[in-house]
Amino acid sequence: MQLRIPGPTPCPEEVLSSLSRQMINHRGEEFAELIWNLTERLKNIFMTKGDVFILTSSGTGAMEASIVNTLSPGDRVLALSNGFFGERFSGVASAFGAEVLKLDFEWGKAIEPEKVRDVLKKERDVKAVLVVHNETSTGLTNPLKEIARVVREYDRLLLVDAISSLSCIELPMDEWGCDVVFTGSQKGFMVPPGLSFIAINERGWEAYKKAKMPKFYWDLGKAKSFLEKGQTPWTPSIPIFFALDVALRLIEKEGLRNIFERHKRVADKVREGIKELGLSLFPDERYASNTITAVRSPDGLDTRELLKILREEYDVVLAGGQDRLSGKIFRIGHLGKVSEADMDEVLRAIGSALSKMRR
Ligand SMILES: *Cc1c(COP(=O)(O)O)cnc(C)c1O
């Protein structure tokens, strides 16, 4: 089977077998050794000297944590949005009482750093900027390095959703000056759903001290004091910790640079293959993502029917479009455990499903 949606992604055999281990005491020494070890190794992936915490939740839990740990109700935040997940990030900030200033870009077009500068220049009281690094809904990678440079120029807090990019697409958080960055286990990490990872730097902790949004489960101050004892405040998803240990070993063995390169090679192959099939990419190609390819639905062709044929007759599972893109695009996930050979198979299946439909 080719499960090629933008998460959950396929897990390597070694990762799957680690899931059948017996539980351990999450307040005991073995777990303490494990969480300290995993936390240090995750810092290498975030490329940070700041703090990293492993939360038991999907990625959206970490998204909420980034907001409630750094902001107070009434704080003004600038939410950059060019897709479904940009909308979600903005929505979380509103739900907790932030005064959200939206800067919208067309779905499929990149966020423009210059426009961010124009807003920050005028709006002196904007405290934080929210951005999605890799917009999974449109298959587009925003120019985060340039956006971060603008945010640093105006010295605001920068919160980054890196759920579908971290570990696959370069994001050196300290070097670029991002303050809080979060991701989830089930996308680039080749681990089942169940954990999220969040990194926070000194500026993030300064904001934490003043942040008054309600929080309990997501309180990173609590996570920090428990981590000192080698624990989490609440019962962690122990099996996914085991799985992460194995997956990080695979990631370390291959090397981050090589992983970034592999994702680029695989994505180039997918983009070429899609064009050869006579289809076109949805996003601005200059910003096309190396982890997800969004393809415009061919004229007059029912995407739902295409995905159904692929699933039932070729054992290839792809994703449709979300929200306003439903029926307009389909998406191929190529992140984590993925090779060029996998994509050859997927492209061949799409090709023959299309000719079957056109017959
Ligand atoms: C998958 C994804 C999310 C949501 O993560 P969940 O684990 O489903 O909560 C948020 N943002 C982006 C960019 C994603 O790709």
Side-chain angles (χ1 to χ4, degrees), residues 210-279:
K210 298 181 209 121
K212 293 200 175 57
M213 280 185 183
K215 56 182 166 294
F216 193 92
Y217 188 89
W218 305 123
D219 189 335
L220 293 183
K222 268 191 206 117
K224 189 172 170 70
S225 61
F226 274 79
L227 184 61
E228 281 159 18
K229 301 184 285 185
Q231 296 180 19
T232 52
W234 338 109
T235 309
S237 179
I238 293 166
I240 315 297
F241 274 70
F242 294 152
L244 178 63
D245 188 17
V246 176
L248 286 178
R249 226 176 290 147
L250 296 172
I251 290 173
E252 288 152 2
K253 193 168 155 215
E254 186 176 357
L256 267 188
R257 288 286 143 204
N258 295 331
I259 294 175
F260 298 157
E261 280 304 309
R262 172 167 53 84
H263 280 82
K264 175 160 191 327
R265 274 199 313 276
V266 167
D268 281 339
K269 168 176 269 298
V270 173
R271 292 188 280 258
E272 261 167 55
I274 283 300
K275 288 183 208 158
E276 277 166 20
L277 289 171
L279 302 173

Side-chain angles (χ1 to χ4, degrees), residues 25-44:
N25 176 10
H26 66 302
R27 306 281 179 222
E29 275 175 33
E30 190 184 349
F31 184 79
E33 289 302 328
L34 179 62
I35 192 171
W36 285 329
N37 176 276
L38 294 179
T39 303
E40 287 309 307
R41 291 155 77 197
L42 283 172
K43 287 182 189 175
N44 297 331

Side-chain angles (χ1 to χ4, degrees), residues 139-187:
L140 180 145
T141 307
N142 281 309
L144 179 61
K145 185 180 181 180
E146 289 70 28
I147 295 167
R149 194 179 293 140
V150 171
V151 176
R152 289 278 58 83
E153 223 174 278
Y154 292 88
D155 198 27
R156 315 297 164 87
L157 204 64
L158 179 59
L159 314 183
V160 182
D161 173 344
I163 297 184
S164 64
S165 57
L166 202 81
S167 84
C168 306
I169 298 174
E170 187 178 32
L171 199 186
M173 116 171 223
D174 289 1
E175 191 189 318
W176 289 1
C178 306
D179 300 312
V180 180
V181 177
F182 53 87
T183 189
S185 59
Q186 80 276 21
K187 300 204 175 171

